[in-house]
Amino acid sequence: MRISRKPKHEISKEMIGLFFEDINYAADGGLYAELIENRSFEAKEAVGVVHRFYTVDDFGYAWHPVCGEGEEEPHMQYVSGSPLSESNPHYLRFTAKKAGQGFANQGYDGIVLRKGMTYNISFYARCVLYNAESVTVRVTKDGKTYACEKVKMIKQAPYIPFSDLLDDIKADDFSVEEKSKEIREMHASGRCREKDWIRYECVLTAEEDVRGASFEILLDDAGVIEFDLISMIPGDAVAGVFRKDLFEALKDIHPGFIRFPGGCIVEGVSLAYRYQWKNTIGDIKDRKVIPNLWSFAEDADVDKERDPYGLVTQRKDSHYMQTFGIGFYEYFLLCELLGARPLPVLNIGTACQFRTTEIVDENSEEFETYIQDALDLIEFANGPVDSRWGSVRASMGHPEPFHMDFLAVGNEQWNTRYLNVGSRYEKFEKAIHEKYPEMRLLGTAGPFFGGDVYEQLWDFYRCNAEEKKDFVYAVDEHYYRPTEWFYENVNAYDNYSRAVNVFAGEYAAHTIKKENCMESALAEAAFMTGLEKNADVVRLASYAPLFNRIGHSQWEPDMIWFDDAHVCLTPDYYVQKLYGNNMGVRTLDMDGQEKELQSKGIYVSLSETAEGEIILKAVNRNQSDYTLPLSDEDDQPLHVLAKMEILIACDGQMPEGIESCSIKKEETRIDGKVILPKESFVIIRF
């Protein structure tokens, strides 16, 4: 291979990014550091399959009484009436029959503690009938306590009858009519003299390591207390929100952007359960909990013999919820912390087309609210503190704008006799660009690469882009294909029209068993050499899905696997990390050499940093080492000192479905050639 310094294309500084969707317990039970499951007592069980689904209230899910051996059980009621928040109206009314009784939470596969780590506990409570001074908060397993604290309780002010309040009023304060109105309002609110709900906090310190433990609150005496929004977050959570080890794994990629919150989850299993960003900001207690789209069974999950009518009950992960502890504010914060551009995806008035035909008429007033949501989101992200939505952002602790300039209009939609994707996009584009001309809008090419649906949408965007330059910044393409497809399509963008950019928004190579292995990782790395060499048209790219909690998979393969205490980084992760950390500012002309090498099972790309350092990426898919001759622009053997990073398979214990791998780093002298190990991905910098 001849190494040229002739520049070819500028590479977008945002090119290698991340796609986050709350699937496989990616948010609740994952990146969101909260350890308590169903903390607001709003759980529902999702029942049924695609096109036939419903929910069953199961407010006590993940909770159980603690009563002591042989003792009469305490009483746990899940009630509504005077809630902490109308958005989440249910709460626990707990009655202890004797001292020491309480209730426990199972967490996500049990509570995990690390010795010496602190854990921030908070909960809201209302002492209905309770005379003791405190309650006990602790973490236990098999009768042993690993962390414990007492929390002093504040008693509720006694109820004062309406007639007694009237007697206390002095005539010279204000008119009888005004007094009566004020008293009626106080009486109706149920908050005479003191708030009903009081927020309590304490810090637990782990005395030893433990996994699979329970979080417990015990009453120090018999009595009745109501509880809501019980939380336990590790003290090392990044910004008090993000699980540290998962955050660090994302940080190590140095992503240029984050696409969020999905994915099909944007549309929802129905419009009632769609993602509405305004419901995910503000005080945590006011964020309405809803079932996760991925809690509903796919057809493949149905046991036909056990359930011939296609309705599944007590299915694993049927209680998978969205608490929105990571809402749009936290997504923006995550982008800021990672130095990545935010790329939100908005609903265009449809529920998920794979699951339902439910849509909003684009000529209706209701559809206009979807467009207004887009405008309001831009104001929330970027608006001044004296604007309506900018003030909400400021009240949450971020008066500075988030500098959002990407916005995706829709996700994986396709045209039907009832749905015209193009006309909906036009309405969004017109309204957004009239007010915010700087926004870079992204359209969708449907769920699949190629075919009539794909071509129709691409024709629409390219035709309109001819008349209006900024009509669309890029079009979102998705590819979940066998590994061989990725090799065959390395050069797919060589002859693409440059009229509209490409966003490779979701992709992953699927082996027969859908494993995260070197086979899939090398296919993706090879495909990405084609994305990089066509950087003038491919501006953004992100692997999908991002996370998978072990034992809670709705989709495989995935980039990062994890459990309660560990993170498993896959070969596919390391490909993304190597790309994210080794992107130049411009590609260099390979003069077609890459295509001859592809015929030999070698896939390459060539770029240059702003400082003039050359980066050669090379994939060897062969089962034997390959000697790659290297020459300079004068066809003389290349003699340089180079830094190399080599991704190869290795022995090691990993969960089923993940192949162990390692990155070998070395400095070496290149004397006219470099040896590419068998089945490897190699970065060479000089």
Side-chain angles (χ1 to χ4, degrees):
M1 182 177 179
R2 185 177 66 259
I3 304 298
S4 167
R5 285 191 176 271
K6 180 182 177 182
K8 189 102 183 255
H9 304 305
E10 173 204 353
I11 299 174
S12 166
K13 60 182 180 294
E14 300 115 353
M15 185 171 185
I16 304 300
L18 299 172
F19 165 56
F20 187 98
E21 179 167 12
D22 189 1
I23 183 174
N24 307 322
Y25 282 70
D28 292 300
L31 184 60
Y32 186 38
E34 177 64 72
L35 297 178
I36 303 299
E37 187 171 11
N38 189 26
R39 65 183 179 186
S40 294
F41 307 102
E42 296 295 341
K44 296 178 183 291
E45 182 185 13
V47 183
V49 296
V50 173
H51 303 300
R52 299 186 303 278
F53 64 86
Y54 58 94
T55 62
V56 177
D57 293 341
D58 195 2
F59 305 130
Y61 171 73
W63 297 94
H64 61 270
V66 176
C67 55
E69 188 174 348
E71 295 179 2
E72 181 184 0
E73 282 199 0
H75 195 34
M76 298 180 70
Q77 293 177 291
Y78 305 98
V79 301
S80 60
S82 51
L84 174 64
S85 171
E86 293 295 344
S87 298
N88 297 299
H90 298 96
Y91 49 95
L92 168 64
R93 184 179 176 92
F94 182 81
T95 303
K97 305 294 179 61
K98 60 185 297 185
Q101 290 189 332
F103 54 96
N105 186 267
Q106 67 187 25
Y108 297 92
D109 303 320
I111 300 294
V112 59
L113 298 183
R114 298 199 306 276
K115 184 178 180 179
M117 174 70 73
T118 58
Y119 297 83
N120 299 315
I121 311 300
S122 66
F123 59 89
Y124 285 84
R126 183 163 53 195
C127 294
V128 178
L129 184 62
Y130 189 64
N131 294 321
E133 291 299 312
S134 61
V135 299
T136 301
V137 178
R138 68 183 190 180
V139 173
T140 68
K141 182 179 181 181
D142 299 331
K144 182 177 179 178
T145 298
Y146 290 84
C148 183
E149 284 291 337
K150 290 281 189 181
V151 177
K152 185 176 181 180
M153 303 301 288
I154 299 172
K155 305 302 188 302
Q156 186 176 3
Y159 172 74
I160 301 175
F162 184 74
S163 57
D164 291 353
L165 284 172
L166 282 175
D167 293 339
D168 290 340
I169 294 174
K170 296 180 180 179
D172 58 355
D173 286 343
F174 38 164
S175 73
V176 173
E177 183 178 347
E178 288 174 338
K179 296 171 193 173
S180 299
K181 180 181 178 182
E182 182 185 36
I183 294 170
R184 284 197 302 273
E185 288 175 351
M186 292 173 63
H187 190 75
S189 71
R191 294 178 178 177
C192 297
R193 298 190 177 180
E194 190 171 332
K195 291 182 178 179
D196 291 330
W197 291 101
I198 297 173
R199 189 173 189 271
Y200 297 89
E201 296 179 349
C202 72
V203 176
L204 294 183
T205 301
E207 298 174 3
E208 294 182 41
D209 291 346
V210 67
R211 296 176 68 186
S214 293
F215 170 87
E216 299 178 353
I217 296 180
L218 308 179
L219 274 61
D220 293 349
D221 198 355
V224 181
I225 305 180
E226 294 171 340
F227 293 89
D228 206 352
L229 194 58
I230 302 172
S231 175
M232 179 179 184
I233 293 184
D236 68 346
V238 177
V241 177
F242 307 109
R243 179 171 153 175
K244 184 178 179 181
D245 52 359
L246 297 182
F247 175 88
E248 293 295 338
L250 302 183
K251 184 178 180 180
D252 286 346
I253 293 176
H254 294 103
F257 69 90
I258 302 178
R259 176 177 177 246
F260 62 86
C264 293
I265 211 166
V266 172
E267 289 95 34
V269 70
S270 69
L271 286 174
Y273 290 147
R274 73 187 188 277
Y275 200 104
Q276 300 183 65
W277 74 264
K278 291 176 181 176
N279 292 345
T280 75
I281 61 172
D283 196 309
I284 289 288
K285 68 181 176 59
D286 298 319
R287 302 183 188 184
K288 183 176 176 60
V289 177
I290 64 172
N292 191 298
L293 170 138
W294 297 104
S295 65
F296 294 91
E298 297 292 337
D299 288 325
D301 294 328
V302 179
D303 183 337
K304 301 295 185 184
E305 293 183 6
R306 178 175 64 87
D307 193 10
Y309 297 104
L311 295 178
V312 181
T313 59
Q314 298 302 315
R315 184 181 54 80
K316 183 182 178 184
D317 295 333
S318 59
H319 293 86
Y320 184 10
M321 307 295 289
Q322 286 185 281
T323 67
F324 301 114
I326 295 180
F328 258 58
Y329 176 83
E330 288 75 21
Y331 281 124
F332 283 122
L333 185 62
L334 177 64
C335 292
E336 184 174 81
L337 292 170
L338 295 177
R341 286 280 186 184
L343 200 168
V345 185
L346 292 182
N347 190 309
I348 62 169
T350 73
C352 179
Q353 285 182 268
F354 288 108
R355 293 165 171 83
T356 178
T357 57
E358 189 179 4
I359 63 174
V360 174
D361 185 344
E362 68 173 282
N363 296 310
S364 66
E365 289 185 11
E366 184 180 359
F367 181 75
E368 293 300 318
T369 66
Y370 286 74
I371 295 176
Q372 189 60 49
D373 279 347
L375 298 174
D376 293 343
L377 176 60
I378 299 169
E379 184 175 279
F380 175 74
N382 300 342
V385 295
D386 59 354
S387 64
R388 178 184 176 187
W389 292 102
S391 67
V392 175
R393 182 195 68 243
S395 71
M396 297 181 71
H398 203 286
E400 303 82 8
F402 283 113
H403 305 293
M404 179 185 83
D405 65 349
F406 282 128
L407 195 60
V409 180
N411 165 74
E412 287 192 344
Q413 278 76 44
W414 63 88
N415 290 328
T416 71
R417 61 184 294 187
Y418 305 107
L419 178 66
N420 186 318
V421 178
S423 64
R424 288 174 184 248
Y425 179 89
E426 286 181 301
K427 287 182 168 66
F428 273 84
E429 187 275 332
K430 183 175 184 294
I432 292 169
H433 277 157
E434 279 183 356
K435 190 169 184 179
Y436 302 105
E438 72 281 4
M439 293 302 300
R440 293 184 282 180
L441 302 183
L442 294 92
T444 175
F448 307 115
F449 183 86
D452 291 343
V453 168
Y454 173 90
E455 294 296 342
Q456 285 175 11
L457 290 170
W458 262 111
D459 287 346
F460 162 76
Y461 293 116
R462 286 175 178 144
C463 179
N464 280 277
E466 289 178 2
E467 299 180 8
K468 187 175 183 180
K469 179 183 176 182
D470 297 326
F471 181 74
V472 61
Y473 175 75
V475 174
D476 184 13
E477 299 189 339
H478 296 173
Y479 350 81
Y480 297 105
R481 297 296 182 91
T483 53
E484 199 59 38
W485 182 92
F486 284 85
Y487 289 114
E488 292 170 353
N489 284 274
V490 168
N491 303 310
Y493 294 111
D494 287 8
N495 299 313
Y496 247 53
S497 165
R498 267 49 184 170
V500 175
N501 296 323
V502 172
F503 172 28
E506 296 181 32
Y507 65 87
H510 286 188
T511 65
I512 293 175
K513 294 183 179 180
K514 294 187 177 180
E515 298 168 306
N516 285 105
C517 56
M518 287 300 294
E519 179 187 347
S520 61
L522 293 180
E524 291 151 8
F527 182 71
M528 292 173 75
T529 65
L531 301 184
E532 184 175 358
K533 77 170 179 175
N534 287 290
D536 60 324
V537 67
V538 181
R539 305 298 286 172
L540 305 160
S542 51
Y543 178 100
L546 179 58
F547 285 123
N548 189 336
R549 185 174 181 115
I550 297 169
H552 300 276
S553 301
Q554 290 89 46
W555 184 287
E556 297 174 10
D558 308 278
M559 191 197 299
I560 299 170
W561 293 51
F562 64 94
D563 59 19
D564 58 338
H566 306 99
V567 177
C568 300
L569 302 177
T570 67
D572 311 77
Y573 168 85
Y574 285 112
V575 166
Q576 297 298 317
K577 178 179 176 179
L578 286 171
Y579 264 92
N581 286 274
N582 293 281
M583 294 299 292
V585 297
R586 66 186 68 88
T587 64
L588 297 176
D589 193 351
M590 294 185 288
D591 197 27
Q593 299 174 92
E594 75 280 4
K595 293 183 179 177
E596 183 177 348
L597 286 169
Q598 289 166 16
S599 68
K600 301 174 183 179
I602 306 299
Y603 300 81
V604 296
S605 62
L606 198 61
S607 64
E608 183 180 33
T609 68
E611 295 74 29
E613 186 179 24
I614 288 178
I615 305 173
L616 171 62
K617 299 182 180 73
V619 175
N620 178 9
R621 70 173 298 194
N622 300 300
Q623 296 181 12
S624 58
D625 294 353
Y626 186 89
T627 300
L628 177 64
L630 295 175
S631 63
D632 61 21
E633 291 180 295
D634 297 323
D635 287 328
Q636 297 300 308
L638 190 66
H639 297 283
V640 293
L641 184 64
K643 294 179 180 179
M644 296 180 62
E645 293 184 85
I646 306 169
L647 177 65
I648 54 175
C650 67
D651 294 330
Q653 269 196 319
M654 295 290 275
E656 184 179 355
I658 306 177
E659 185 176 5
S660 184
C661 68
S662 65
I663 295 179
K664 180 182 178 182
K665 296 184 178 182
E666 61 183 45
E667 287 193 8
T668 187
R669 181 78 187 178
I670 294 178
D671 290 312
K673 62 184 179 182
V674 65
I675 296 176
L676 307 176
K678 66 177 182 179
E679 298 178 321
S680 67
F681 175 40
V682 182
I683 305 289
I684 306 166
R685 299 182 69 136
F686 55 88

